[in-house]
Amino acid sequence: MVRLVQLYIDDSLPDELSFGKVREQAFAIIPKEELLTKIIKQPKKPLQEYDFYWQAIDTLKRGIKTNLRCLVEVLGFSSITTHSAWLEAIEWIKAEFHKPQQLAPIIEEHPEDTIPVKLLRYFMVKEEGQPTRINKARYEFWVYRQLDRYLRSGGLFLEDSLQYRSLNQELVSIEEQQDAIQQLNIPGLRAPIAEQLDVLLPEQHSLLLKFNKALRKGKLKHLRYDEKNKILHWQKVKVDKDERLRQQFYSQLPLCDITDVLRFVDKHCGFLSTFTHIQPKYAKQPAKKDSLMATIIAQAMNNGNHNMSEISDIPYSALQDTLQSRVRLATLKVANDLISNDIAKMSIFPYYSFDLELLYGGVDGQKFVAATPTIKARAAKKYFGKGKGIVAYTLLANHIPLQVELIGANEH
């Protein structure tokens, strides 16, 4: 083919030469029949991403056969439905794929609803004069991938597993149901559902009438009804007098630096004293509070010690030494406990609760991108893009962080 291309740049061939002469030279290099064969074998469409994907799966054929197939054969999969195409696919693989000398099954024999129409061409093996057969390695990979997906979503389950067992196995059996209801001592569980509905439906109807009446009179400022589309919309309520009073109250409070707040808190609970040296035997000097506060602020604001040293009069070496020797997870937890306990002793603490008689709590995870790779830093495209990070899993009660655990993004 290279010699054919050279005919276009050969200076020895004059421009007046007829194309028939050039074609004779081309056929002398490659016969006409061979050239036609090469042109016909050229792919009609360029390879797409899926083509490379399935070509990579072909290289895993041996591992799929030796590792995954034996596991699937011994595991007892079950389904929440009476008919599952994936259970039929497993039985079909057990029956047809264990015959080494036999040709692959015909593509039409595979269980229905296991191969999407748009992916069907990737599972076909075509040979001249032979029926279209199925690519066994690709089909096995596809079935095992769907098994993993349905196990995680609960569509399939393993009765002998702790993590992927059915929800029915977690529920109380019918024989133990009455005893469990008596122990719960909930009146609503003792009465039949039909009787409860007879009582609740009239009450619901009266509440809907009151709601409709209030909405028509304009008492529900946070709701707006669209007459044209017949849809109820939420809307932002204008600031009321109480909100203005709160704004006026907080506007009277003087502004202060964050360092003054930290000094005030340390004066009452002494949380800075918990940041002990990682090797107290070799600590020559006590910790400087300014360096401690500057390091804590730099890490909390994600500003870094280098930038903090530039905007303050504290050397970078002092900040870095404080971070490495005193600021660690253990000392941070002790300092947080001291501050939380001191807040709980305040007389105003109960009034920050939603209910004076009931304490509300909750857990939440805050995501942070890891500046340096650690054993807990994991990839999560949803939160960190192409980077890695960790999750600060915090237990909150009455707006106070009682406990914090650092976990990987895969554990959240």
Side-chain angles (χ1 to χ4, degrees):
M1 299 298 290
V2 176
R3 294 175 62 188
L4 289 179
V5 176
Q6 289 178 348
L7 293 176
Y8 289 93
I9 58 176
D10 191 356
D11 296 334
S12 62
L13 297 177
D15 296 338
E16 295 79 10
L17 189 66
S18 64
F19 184 73
K21 297 292 183 180
V22 177
R23 187 165 58 177
E24 289 178 3
Q25 295 186 25
F27 290 156
I29 298 172
I30 300 179
K32 181 178 180 180
E33 293 75 12
E34 184 179 351
L35 186 60
L36 288 173
T37 304
K38 291 181 177 295
I39 295 174
I40 294 173
K41 288 185 177 180
Q42 292 295 324
K44 296 181 180 180
K45 295 182 179 180
L47 294 177
Q48 303 294 327
E49 182 179 354
Y50 265 113
D51 297 302
F52 296 106
Y53 176 83
W54 288 110
Q55 289 176 10
I57 299 302
D58 293 337
T59 62
L60 306 175
K61 178 167 57 177
R62 183 178 180 85
I64 293 172
K65 180 180 178 180
T66 57
N67 298 327
L68 295 181
R69 185 188 294 179
C70 59
L71 286 176
V72 173
E73 289 178 351
V74 298
L75 293 175
F77 292 92
S78 303
S79 175
I80 58 178
T81 59
T82 55
H83 172 75
S84 175
W86 303 112
L87 296 183
E88 292 183 8
I90 295 174
E91 297 299 327
W92 190 63
I93 290 174
K94 292 179 181 179
E96 299 293 337
F97 287 22
H98 268 292
K99 304 172 182 178
Q101 302 300 328
Q102 187 177 0
L103 294 174
I106 301 175
I107 189 71
E108 288 80 7
E109 296 178 356
H110 79 276
E112 295 182 1
D113 302 328
T114 55
I115 302 179
V117 178
K118 65 178 182 179
L119 298 180
L120 187 60
R121 64 187 182 94
Y122 296 106
F123 295 89
M124 294 180 176
V125 178
K126 297 181 180 180
E127 295 182 3
E128 188 175 355
Q130 296 290 335
T132 303
R133 302 187 180 275
I134 194 169
N135 189 314
K136 295 197 295 185
R138 294 184 180 184
Y139 184 76
E140 271 194 278
F141 172 80
W142 176 254
V143 172
Y144 300 157
R145 180 181 176 185
Q146 299 306 312
L147 290 180
D148 176 71
R149 171 190 169 193
Y150 279 93
L151 280 175
R152 295 178 184 274
S153 63
L156 298 176
F157 56 87
L158 299 169
E159 295 183 357
D160 297 334
S161 172
L162 294 177
Q163 186 175 359
Y164 300 112
R165 61 192 304 186
S166 173
L167 178 61
N168 294 332
Q169 297 178 268
E170 304 288 346
L171 301 177
V172 179
S173 62
I174 299 178
E175 294 77 11
E176 302 174 351
Q177 183 177 0
Q178 294 300 326
D179 296 336
I181 291 176
Q182 294 295 334
Q183 294 176 6
L184 292 175
N185 194 22
I186 300 177
L189 297 177
R190 299 176 183 175
I193 186 63
E195 295 181 5
Q196 297 186 50
L197 290 176
D198 292 339
V199 175
L200 294 176
L201 286 177
E203 182 180 354
Q204 181 194 28
H205 180 68
S206 62
L207 291 174
L208 288 174
L209 292 176
K210 291 181 180 178
F211 171 80
N212 187 48
K213 185 177 180 180
L215 182 63
R216 290 182 177 277
K217 290 185 176 180
K219 294 182 179 181
L220 304 178
K221 303 294 185 182
H222 60 287
L223 295 175
R224 176 179 59 84
Y225 183 70
D226 189 353
E227 294 286 350
K228 182 179 179 181
N229 299 320
K230 300 185 181 301
I231 298 177
L232 197 63
H233 297 278
W234 291 88
Q235 63 182 5
K236 185 177 180 181
V237 184
K238 295 182 179 180
V239 180
D240 54 5
K241 295 182 180 179
D242 295 337
E243 183 68 22
R244 294 194 185 96
L245 289 175
R246 283 194 290 269
Q247 292 179 0
Q248 293 176 3
F249 171 76
Y250 286 111
S251 63
Q252 297 176 12
L253 298 178
L255 297 176
C256 60
D257 295 333
I258 186 67
T259 54
D260 295 334
V261 176
L262 292 177
R263 289 192 181 95
F264 178 82
V265 176
D266 180 62
K267 180 180 178 182
H268 285 77
C269 63
F271 78 97
L272 290 179
S273 61
T274 61
F275 292 94
T276 56
H277 200 280
I278 193 170
Q279 292 181 327
K281 182 179 179 181
Y282 301 100
K284 299 180 180 180
Q285 297 180 354
K288 295 183 179 180
K289 293 186 176 181
D290 290 342
S291 299
L292 267 175
M293 289 188 294
T295 304
I296 293 172
I297 294 174
Q299 301 304 314
M301 303 299 292
N302 201 20
N303 197 26
N305 289 336
H306 182 73
N307 291 336
M308 179 59 70
S309 64
E310 292 181 350
I311 62 178
S312 65
D313 56 352
I314 303 175
Y316 171 78
S317 58
L319 297 177
Q320 195 68 10
D321 178 69
T322 303
L323 175 64
Q324 294 178 353
S325 62
R326 298 182 181 274
V327 181
R328 54 190 184 276
L329 183 60
T331 55
L332 287 170
K333 284 186 175 182
V334 177
N336 180 76
D337 292 342
L338 280 178
I339 297 174
S340 300
N341 294 335
D342 195 67
I343 294 175
K345 296 177 183 178
M346 296 181 178
S347 58
I348 199 175
F349 175 74
Y351 296 96
Y352 273 86
S353 177
F354 295 105
D355 192 338
L356 294 178
E357 298 180 358
L358 186 63
L359 183 63
Y360 289 89
V363 291
D364 188 25
Q366 190 175 4
K367 287 75 179 176
F368 296 95
V369 178
T372 55
T374 62
I375 192 171
K376 288 188 176 182
R378 298 298 180 91
K381 186 177 181 181
K382 179 180 178 182
Y383 303 113
F384 312 121
K386 297 183 179 179
K388 294 183 178 181
I390 58 174
V391 179
Y393 205 56
T394 308
L395 169 63
L396 297 170
N398 204 10
H399 309 288
I400 303 300
L402 299 181
Q403 184 70 17
V404 179
E405 292 292 338
L406 294 180
I407 61 176
N410 61 317
E411 303 175 37
H412 185 43

